[in-house]
Amino acid sequence: MSDLEPSEDDLIRLLIDSWTALRAGTLGEDQQALLDRERPQWQCEAANLIAEGLLAYVTVEMVEPDLAHDRQIDPHNTPSPQDYAARLGAHMMDFVDYRGDLVQTRRLGTH
């Protein structure tokens, strides 16, 4: 890799910052055109990175504490993989449901 090629971390930061700026209406047309030309799937890449990050966050910060609380109440309660998946899915649907509330903030567009 040459000194001019971005590291993976730099690329991830560029994708996320650009995706966020696009939704906030602050991504320059020239920057978007460059990304669209040089990396046509950049928006999908950014969305996948964000989705994977949210999945990890929800699992670590929400689902695991839920299950630990349940085990504290009933030490014999061992959730099945289906229980685990159901909790994870419910939390993820909460995020999806917030999409409609974004317009109310009037800070970000509805790209």
Side-chain angles (χ1 to χ4, degrees), residues 51-109:
E52 290 169 4
L54 278 173
L55 179 67
Y57 177 85
V58 169
T59 299
V60 171
E61 297 292 334
M62 302 171 107
V63 174
E64 286 297 335
D66 285 352
L67 297 175
H69 179 264
D70 289 353
R71 284 189 298 271
Q72 207 171 28
I73 293 172
D74 180 3
H76 302 291
N77 181 14
T78 304
S80 69
Q82 291 80 8
D83 294 334
Y84 193 86
R87 283 187 192 241
L88 181 58
H91 283 298
M92 297 307 285
M93 282 304 301
D94 287 343
F95 282 107
V96 170
D97 291 343
Y98 269 102
R99 292 178 308 155
D101 295 339
L102 187 59
V103 176
Q104 295 172 6
T105 68
R106 298 184 190 267
R107 291 188 189 114
L108 296 177

Side-chain angles (χ1 to χ4, degrees), residues 1-2 5 7 14 18 22 24 26 32 35 37 39 45 51 61-62 66 74 84-85 87 90 94-95 97 100:
M1 181 158 86
S2 77
E5 291 181 29
S7 70
L14 173 67
S18 299
L22 179 64
T26 62
Q32 183 174 353
L35 283 164
R37 183 178 62 252
R39 202 165 185 98
E45 289 178 73
E61 297 292 334
M62 302 171 107
D66 285 352
D74 180 3
Y84 193 86
R87 283 187 192 241
D94 287 343
F95 282 107
D97 291 343

